[in-house]
Amino acid sequence: MTGLTRFDLPRVYPLTDVKTSGLAHADQVQLLIAGGATLIQLREKQMPPREFYEQTKAAVEIARRSGVRLIINDRVDIALAANAHGVHLGQDDMPPEAARRLLGDRAIIGYSTHDVEQATKALTLPIDYLAIGPIFATSTKTDTSPVLGLEGLRAVRKAVGACPLVAIGGISLTTAREVIEAGADSVALISALLSKSTHISETFEALNSRL
Ligand code: 3NM
């Protein structure tokens, strides 16, 4: 296991989403950084790879200038080509072992899990943090597993010990605190941060200062 006890997660972990925000990835990254984000994931499910690569390059440049770490959802190739800090992989993406071989020891690798069994199995993988979700119902992602609730999250925390743990799925500005109290080190959010796209920096800052 590489580093499953060493990676220091920020309390709030924003994910970009062009559909929710109506903004390019680099613009979302800029606004999130202005609000105080230090770790950001680019999440893109529709754009042609060429365009996503260009947007990723622009976002990486902005992030590196501010000392912010940028993680790419699913696409190990684009993370590598655009010199991002790492990738976030789902259960059906390239296996973390293969991604680690391509990206090297210093890359950040996150991994999505959806129940206690998957989370426990992931503890031996060469990853830096685990994500668990959906905690609550969400309309941002359609192919989600059953909702875990706060009880499910507590059970996962118990099963994974001190492993860096990100909670995701349907988390709002008002439920974020109870999600942290139930055992998450960090809350990952899309719609709660991005749907009011004229206030992304302010929304991030307000949530971050409360957690
Ligand atoms: N992954 P929102 S739920 C990207 O369960 C993602 O693994 C999930 O968006 C999982 O904060 C989810 O708008 C959607 O609910 C998160």
Side-chain angles (χ1 to χ4, degrees):
M1 145 165 73
T2 2
L4 255 179
T5 52
R6 109 189 118 76
F7 186 61
D8 201 16
L9 283 162
R11 276 280 199 249
V12 188
Y13 182 6
L15 276 63
T16 61
D17 189 297
V18 171
K19 202 167 132 208
T20 304
S21 65
L23 300 170
H25 289 287
D27 294 337
Q28 296 174 66
V29 164
Q30 184 104 58
L31 293 166
L32 289 163
I33 292 174
T38 57
L39 178 74
I40 301 171
Q41 185 183 134
L42 294 198
R43 182 172 182 271
E44 177 54 62
K45 301 286 184 186
Q46 273 158 0
M47 205 176 274
R50 178 175 294 239
E51 190 180 345
F52 186 44
Y53 168 68
E54 294 298 341
Q55 291 208 13
T56 302
K57 266 204 333 191
V60 166
E61 208 176 301
I62 292 166
R64 288 206 178 265
R65 232 185 281 140
S66 311
V68 166
R69 294 170 299 183
L70 203 70
I71 306 299
I72 312 303
N73 187 278
D74 300 353
R75 300 293 302 252
V76 178
D77 53 346
I78 289 179
L80 196 56
N83 194 24
H85 291 80
V87 288
H88 184 94
L89 301 169
Q91 293 282 321
D92 297 327
D93 294 322
M94 177 187 289
E97 296 93 333
R100 178 62 73 196
R101 281 197 295 277
L102 286 171
L103 296 174
D105 282 346
R106 295 182 59 189
I108 300 165
I109 300 183
Y111 187 57
S112 284
T113 65
H114 308 291
D115 55 39
V116 168
E117 193 188 339
Q118 287 178 0
T120 311
K121 263 174 98 173
L123 292 174
T124 56
L125 296 172
I127 59 178
D128 297 284
Y129 70 86
L130 268 186
I132 182 75
I135 306 302
F136 305 117
T138 177
S139 47
T140 309
K141 183 176 158 86
T142 46
D143 57 337
T144 53
S145 300
V147 163
L148 289 138
L150 295 175
E151 271 317 303
L153 172 57
R154 281 189 199 99
V156 169
R157 168 51 84 197
K158 207 169 154 201
V160 302
C163 152
L165 186 63
V166 175
I168 189 163
I171 301 171
S172 69
L173 304 179
T174 47
T175 56
R177 169 139 290 280
E178 59 193 12
V179 172
I180 296 284
E181 283 167 1
D185 296 304
S186 178
V187 284
L189 312 96
I190 298 178
S191 48
L193 291 175
L194 302 182
S195 50
K196 238 170 108 185
S197 62
T198 50
H199 288 70
I200 290 173
S201 305
E202 294 84 345
T203 309
F204 185 95
E205 198 170 1
L207 176 62
N208 201 29
S209 68
R210 285 211 304 270
L211 292 181

